[in-house]
């Protein structure tokens, strides 16, 4: 992203043998526009190219600024933005921590508020903006996933694809070089 590339978040498994390296975790989820079944393949490819993705081995993580979500670009000329994060997961998937990332730094943290089926966290964060930015959210747990994979320590993770913020309103998103971040 710092080199001007629009990236899509994707997850995959790295399986080299049949036993103990089960394929299929994590998975890439796509936000596909509605339409007839015969156009699903084209709509799925469009969603992947546009970055309307989330990656998950259990929790599904969504990030929004106003009506914009992962893959979208929104213009925010104000010195801060309200970022909405929502995490859903079945009851058997542990979800403990939520992080909000601006570019390559964690700018806010929260604790999952529910330990039940469905909605695990929903809340707003105020994030400082000093330049164009890439926002994403992450959810994880220290407790392992129970009896899902043949590993004793497999962890649930989930993260949103990037949401792009055009802070200066020039129609492009250019992430500034890495360096010290202004204090939140």
């Amino acid at each position: 992203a710092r080199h001007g590339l629009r990236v899509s978040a994707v997850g995959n498994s790295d399986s080299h043998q049949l036993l103990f390296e089960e394929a299929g975790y994590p998975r890439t989820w796509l936000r596909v526009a509605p339409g007839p079944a015969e156009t699903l393949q084209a709509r799925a490819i469009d969603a992947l190219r546009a970055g309307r993705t989330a990656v998950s081995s259990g929790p599904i993580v969504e990030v929004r600024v106003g009506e914009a979500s992962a893959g979208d670009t929104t213009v925010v000329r104000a010195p801060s933005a309200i970022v909405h994060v929502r995490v859903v997961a079945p009851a058997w998937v542990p979800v403990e921590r939520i992080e909000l990332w601006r570019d390559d730094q964690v700018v806010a943290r929260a604790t999952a508020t529910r330990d039940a089926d469905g909605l695990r966290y929903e809340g707003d964060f105020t994030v400082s903006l000093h330049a164009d930015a890439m926002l994403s959210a992450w959810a994880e747990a220290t407790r392992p996933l129970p009896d899902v994979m043949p590993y004793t320590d497999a962890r649930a993770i989930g993260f949103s694809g990037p949401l792009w913020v055009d802070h200066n309103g020039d129609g492009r998103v250019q992430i500034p070089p890495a360096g010290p971040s202004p204090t939140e």
Side-chain angles (χ1 to χ4, degrees), residues 8-27:
S8 296
V10 294
N12 68 328
S13 56
D14 187 16
S15 181
H16 298 276
Q17 54 188 341
L18 187 57
L19 297 175
F20 303 111
E21 289 186 7
E22 185 173 334
Y25 287 93
R27 294 182 176 147

Side-chain angles (χ1 to χ4, degrees), residues 135-147:
L135 301 172
S136 62
W138 172 278
E140 67 180 352
T142 57
R143 294 178 288 148
L145 283 164
D147 302 321

Side-chain angles (χ1 to χ4, degrees), residues 44-127:
I45 290 169
D46 288 345
L48 183 59
R49 285 185 176 145
R52 294 189 303 267
T53 62
V55 175
S56 176
S57 66
I60 305 290
V61 182
E62 302 170 35
V63 62
R64 296 187 78 74
V65 172
E67 295 299 313
S69 60
D72 296 338
T73 299
T74 187
V75 176
V76 179
R77 307 268 328 225
S80 64
I82 304 297
V83 183
H84 186 78
V85 175
R86 184 172 188 264
V87 178
V88 295
W92 56 269
V93 172
V95 178
E96 297 167 359
R97 292 186 303 268
I98 290 85
E99 296 175 342
L100 181 62
W101 289 68
R102 181 187 58 220
D103 303 329
D104 54 4
Q105 295 186 342
V106 176
V107 294
R109 289 185 168 89
T111 301
T113 53
R114 297 170 179 89
D115 197 20
D117 208 15
L119 184 64
R120 306 301 284 284
Y121 178 82
E122 189 162 20
D124 292 333
F125 300 94
T126 301
V127 175

Side-chain angles (χ1 to χ4, degrees), residues 139-174:
E140 67 180 352
T142 57
R143 294 178 288 148
L145 283 164
D147 302 321
V148 175
M149 296 176 17
Y151 312 109
T152 58
D153 204 26
R155 307 272 186 224
I157 64 163
F159 54 94
S160 71
L163 188 160
W164 306 92
V165 179
D166 179 2
H167 183 61
N168 60 13
D170 68 355
R172 299 177 303 162
V173 176
Q174 294 181 299

